[in-house]
């Protein structure tokens, strides 16, 4: 052991690895058994594209309006089907020898260069993946075994299933494990320190620290701030504050530092008060398989952390406003005008930076990390139950 | 096992790995015991150059007209000799300390910085490789043990040994294993589908599929097309054809879709009819250690797939015309004018693309892959016999 | 075994691996238990920077004039502290959540986002490294266990501790193991051959070979040339010489080819004759942990080979002149005018080239490599004694 290592561990206290959450620990390439958004709907066209999800290579292609997902490997010689093209309706052909697969079930329906009576037909197939489209995105279900997927609407944030809304969003392929991204998103502490220099935060006050409680409700856990401390005197060091003279008074912030003056479109009266004020017991909530929801007074911001493989993830950030009619135009103008750049861009870029350099375990947690351990506990419990249910089905 | 994997294998039939051909399976970095072209002769000069062949690092250098090949590693400190220079005739010196090797046998004949009586002389050496020059290229023999090489002319395509000819060619260092390159070259099916979009094929018809027989003869196996089908109706899918209205009638193609109007220089009468029409029982043939021969009516195209290591190969494509006199000028003009770009360039680039993305085993073969399995069988049998002969010599 | 390998080893004689020097063999990432220069002092500022030394990631930062070094990993979530900033005097804060460490002892003195009473304070810390500044550079001590460092002045070349001097230098992050760099620097043979083409050597004669003795003295071993041979006739090959008609007569070179006309500033009378002529029993000397000293008549050149990790090293080349007063201006002009480019640049670049391609063991040594084996023996012996002393302390 080197001197540096031995000295570092001298200060170790409590758990430093993830053995408390074995399934979470094993889910480096994501939790199978869930739906994930993988591409904007209008990017999935008749020309196939390749994506990676939970380590699986997947070919996406659209045929007569419907999106399909196939395992991106022709069993003949291992060539990616996403390099191929559609020779006949409802099929996709491998670029190499024209092996042609039915998009619905993956069966080999023709081997063009072996003629219509090719004996290989009916003896080869590629795996297909369930596909759905929601929020203007193509979602793919990655199975654990060969189970049928649960309905995607059971997994979406509830308020997005039946309510009309307008939205703006951003997808970024990013370095770093999806769990670091999700933990970063739900993490209480970093917002107050890491993001203190972001432009998005320039005109908003935030506490230096607070006392937080985690409240479970249904598939979600909520972060509820019980006490807030705007400034702090650190003995022997000095005073530290997140307040700036030009920022709004902290009293103007109603919910855990949530900005009250963002998204206020004048049409705010149309926000469903049930959604905005009553149902959510807290400002920030998270659910499986890695979905963050930040309930601002006039809109909701979501982040989906999509596992590409153990080293990369797809960041999907979405702003949703439950508006109707002409007010939606204002939302789009505001989103494209500056929310997209300040929030989904520079602010979120600070997160991407940290997610890329986070390196745990080992780790040493502190009080605000109750949000991390609660999330890990939620993930562990839900996935364990899911596995048990699938095994029962098989019996 | 993931859902994708388990579903993919559901359709598996027959052999999916290469255990049927154990020597072939083991020859990821090439078959040792053969001659390989590694560089154009005029690129091998008095200034040494380094190449990799079958995973061996080799320094090439020319001295008084003769090309030599040495193991590219000075045993003193591991520095590549291809960075060195010739201080004395018939020798090559390491750039670092001037250890000087005899080009003929690799013996250390001087350690310049240790003076004429250096005791290391006669106690160190580097391996040398047999070298020959044919077709304007430097060929190197990679030994299995320390056996003497067979004569290179026993390995060259027979018609290239004694006949005069003109040629044009191209060497490309390419990604992908040499076996994928060789299998691609001899592969029956892909030409009809992959290359349907190449400019080279624009004015030539090709069948959609055909019935093929493999005919062994001497060191070669030939692909003989017994029946050709220009169009095909795939039940429930539609009709597929390689014919285009602007292409030549299929009846104009005489041999397996071989273009009859290419290479016809007006001087075609000078083509040796023995070579072009009688000796070859088929259009395409292949021999060890990875040589493809396509017999067009008026010229022959060869491809040599040279193993660099397990991940890269050197593609050597050569067009040969058995002409004499002024007709050779026409051949050069035609080769440089367009054959080089259309055939050795764009057409061959489609092959390079597929060779790079092929990923087998596992694999699942179909009827036209009889050409692949016949080639693997040929390689397996010939190499096994070669090993047996070398072991017998050692006794 | 391939043919090349078996043939290469045919010529093997004597030791070919490093098992004679087990500690040296194990020190791929450097010898811990020494001081190493890691950055120019004026590059270490209030904005932290990250370096790697002996494989350890280290954050350097300057606070109120003093340079500090911390293990570059926040134990909370593994984020590099070199990305952080100083929020309070005498501390460094992690960029992610504001964990704040005392620069002197690495103790966590505040977790900003958990308030002044954060229970984590006092329970976490990062390792610190002893830091010193000498020769305009920041030096860091890398401990073996948790021992106190020896005084840096005991490790510096003795003449640099008390004498006033002027200097010029260059730091380069280079490919290759630090041991190859050190062996190259002290290596007798390569200077005569590798560097024969350098501009630095254009006007200086050098012997073709010589007879050398290694003389130990204190912490150093000296290379003493007993006989020099300016030209050599290699039987059957020819004559080889390092002399050129335009070069100075060899007789003008006083010590092992050391250039007598370099660094002669006219103020040479001020050179301490004790240093320049009497104390050094030879031209080139080396000491642990990889320090080369070349004693030219009017100045001394040093090279420090700093282990970054097993694959890279930091080359630190320094020219020192023991001058005072206006003569120092001349030295700077000369250094910046051409020594820096010819010697620390092109000449040293040839070394960097060889260090990058050296690949040993296996190796096969020759007579002039007595300098290498003596250096390895010195390193082995000194480090073994150091380990024994540390273990004794622990008892």
């Amino acid at each position: 052991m080197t001197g540096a290592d031995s000295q570092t561990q001298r200060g170790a206290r409590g758990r430093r690895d993830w053995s408390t959450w074995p399934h979470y620990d094993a889910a480096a390439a994501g939790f199978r058994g869930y739906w994930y958004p993988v591409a904007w709907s209008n990017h999935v066209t008749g020309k196939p594209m390749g994506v990676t999800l939970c380590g699986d290579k997947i070919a996406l292609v659209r045929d007569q309006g419907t999106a399909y997902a196939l395992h991106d490997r022709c069993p003949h010689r291992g060539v990616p089907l996403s390099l191929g093209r559609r020779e006949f309706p409802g099929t996709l052909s491998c670029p190499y020898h024209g092996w042609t697969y039915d998009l619905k079930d993956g069966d080999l329906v023709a081997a063009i260069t072996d003629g219509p009576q090719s004996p290989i037909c009916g003896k080869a197939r590629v795996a297909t993946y369930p596909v759905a489209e929601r929020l203007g995105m193509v979602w793919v279900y990655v199975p654990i075994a060969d189970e049928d997927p649960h309905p995607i609407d059971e997994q979406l944030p509830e308020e997005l299933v039946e309510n009309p809304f307008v939205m703006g969003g951003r997808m970024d392929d990013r370095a770093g494990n999806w769990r670091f991204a999700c933990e970063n998103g739900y993490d209480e502490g970093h917002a107050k320190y890491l993001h203190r220099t972001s432009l998005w935060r320039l005109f908003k006050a935030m506490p230096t620290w607070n006392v937080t409680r985690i409240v479970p409700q249904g598939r979600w856990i909520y972060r509820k701030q019980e006490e807030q401390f705007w400034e702090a005197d650190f003995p022997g060091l000095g005073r530290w504050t997140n307040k700036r003279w030009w920022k709004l008074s902290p009293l103007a912030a109603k919910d855990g530092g949530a900005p009250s003056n963002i998204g206020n479109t004048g049409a705010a009266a149309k926000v469903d008060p049930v959604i905005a004020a009553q149902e959510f017991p807290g400002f920030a909530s998270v659910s499986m398989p890695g979905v963050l929801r930040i309930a601002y007074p006039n809109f909701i911001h979501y982040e989906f952390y999509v596992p590409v493989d153990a080293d990369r993830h797809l960041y999907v950030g979405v702003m949703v406003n439950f508006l109707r009619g002409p007010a939606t135009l204002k939302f789009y103008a505001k989103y494209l005008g500056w929310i997209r750049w300040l929030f989904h861009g520079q602010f979120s870029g600070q997160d991407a930076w940290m997610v890329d350099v986070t390196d745990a375990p080992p780790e040493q947690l502190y009080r605000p990390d109750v949000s991390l351990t609660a999330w890990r506990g939620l993930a562990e419990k839900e996935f364990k139950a899911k596995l048990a249910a699938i095994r029962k089905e098989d019996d």
Side-chain angles (χ1 to χ4, degrees), chain A:
Chain A
M1 179 177 289
T2 67
D5 286 343
S6 64
Q7 286 174 298
T8 305
Q9 299 194 352
R10 200 184 281 167
R13 288 293 181 283
R15 67 193 143 199
R16 293 175 64 90
D17 63 32
W18 293 359
S19 56
T20 310
W21 313 279
H23 291 110
Y24 190 79
D25 194 16
F31 281 112
R32 302 184 73 92
Y34 288 91
W35 294 91
Y36 291 100
V38 293
W40 292 114
S41 281
N42 61 359
H43 289 183
V44 178
T45 66
K47 183 175 155 53
M49 64 185 280
V51 298
T52 303
L53 176 62
C54 296
D56 286 13
K57 303 269 184 188
I58 296 176
L60 299 175
V61 69
R62 188 176 297 279
D63 184 85
Q64 294 176 323
T66 305
Y68 295 93
L70 304 174
H71 183 41
D72 196 11
R73 185 184 189 278
C74 179
H76 177 213
R77 298 283 281 159
V79 165
L81 295 175
S82 57
L83 303 176
R85 62 189 220 177
R86 288 172 310 137
E87 295 287 345
F88 306 108
T91 69
L92 178 61
S93 298
C94 175
Y96 204 1
H97 300 85
W99 285 32
T100 300
Y101 299 92
D102 188 301
L103 289 171
K104 286 196 179 66
D105 56 17
D107 280 349
L108 182 74
V109 290
I112 291 177
T113 49
D114 195 26
Q117 281 82 40
S118 176
I120 195 77
C121 291
K123 292 185 190 141
R125 64 183 300 277
V126 294
T128 56
Y129 294 80
V131 175
E133 299 196 59
R134 293 290 186 284
L135 305 172
M137 295 182 276
V138 170
W139 297 63
V140 170
Y141 180 86
V142 191
I144 296 172
D146 54 1
E147 82 279 4
D148 285 328
H150 55 260
I152 185 172
D153 291 341
E154 290 179 9
Q155 182 190 312
L156 283 184
E158 297 77 356
E159 66 279 9
L160 295 180
V161 176
E162 302 230 325
N163 294 299
F165 56 82
V166 292
M167 59 167 274
R170 186 163 185 146
M171 278 192 185
D172 268 333
D173 179 71
R174 289 185 177 174
N177 190 267
W178 74 274
R179 291 170 301 190
F180 297 152
C182 183
E183 294 179 352
N184 173 81
Y186 193 53
D187 167 27
E188 167 91 65
H190 83 285
K192 304 178 180 64
Y193 189 73
L194 173 68
H195 293 312
R196 72 199 181 287
T197 55
S198 70
L199 291 170
W200 177 254
R201 282 270 310 275
L202 256 187
F203 300 98
K204 277 176 289 294
M206 227 188 190
T208 289
W209 67 288
N210 40 238
V211 176
T212 296
R213 201 159 52 89
I214 302 296
V215 182
Q217 184 173 310
R219 299 175 46 244
W220 301 81
I221 52 174
Y222 291 83
R223 219 172 64 202
K224 202 162 165 51
Q225 298 176 342
E226 311 238 300
E227 282 184 87
Q228 296 175 26
F229 302 88
W230 298 97
E231 296 181 305
D233 277 303
F234 292 91
L237 297 172
R239 161 169 296 231
W240 202 89
T241 179
N242 248 322
K243 290 199 293 187
R244 301 287 179 268
W245 62 263
W246 68 82
K247 286 189 185 180
L248 292 179
S249 148
L251 298 180
K254 286 170 194 159
D255 186 351
S260 63
N261 60 328
I262 294 297
N264 195 325
T265 60
K270 290 185 184 155
V271 172
D272 185 344
V274 178
I275 290 171
Q278 297 173 351
E279 288 194 11
F280 295 154
F283 170 56
S285 51
V286 72
S287 73
M288 279 283 271
V291 180
L292 178 72
R293 175 171 59 186
I294 310 286
Y296 290 92
N298 292 303
F299 60 92
I300 304 183
H301 167 69
Y302 302 91
E303 297 192 356
F304 303 90
Y305 311 104
V306 182
V308 171
D309 54 27
D311 300 317
R312 301 197 68 82
H313 67 283
L314 185 71
Y315 166 87
V316 180
V318 174
M319 283 276 185
V320 169
N321 205 329
F322 297 85
L323 298 171
R324 265 165 266 207
T328 63
L329 288 177
K330 276 195 188 168
F331 174 79
Y332 282 123
K334 184 174 276 191
Y335 180 76
L336 292 173
W338 60 284
I339 293 181
R340 182 174 176 83
W341 314 114
L342 291 192
F343 188 63
H344 284 171
Q346 191 241 9
F347 181 93
S348 175
Q350 293 181 325
D351 289 326
W353 178 45
M354 283 297 115
V355 169
D356 188 21
V357 298
T358 295
D359 172 28
E363 67 189 5
Q364 190 175 357
L365 301 184
Y366 75 144
R367 204 163 43 179
D369 285 330
V370 62
S371 54
L372 264 65
T373 52
W375 147 246
R376 291 174 188 174
L378 168 74
E380 189 69 20
K381 192 175 153 195
E382 181 174 315
F383 190 71
K384 208 173 154 185
K386 175 184 285 286
L387 276 187
I390 286 178
R391 279 180 196 138
K392 208 170 172 184
E393 257 174 47
D394 285 354
D395 289 344

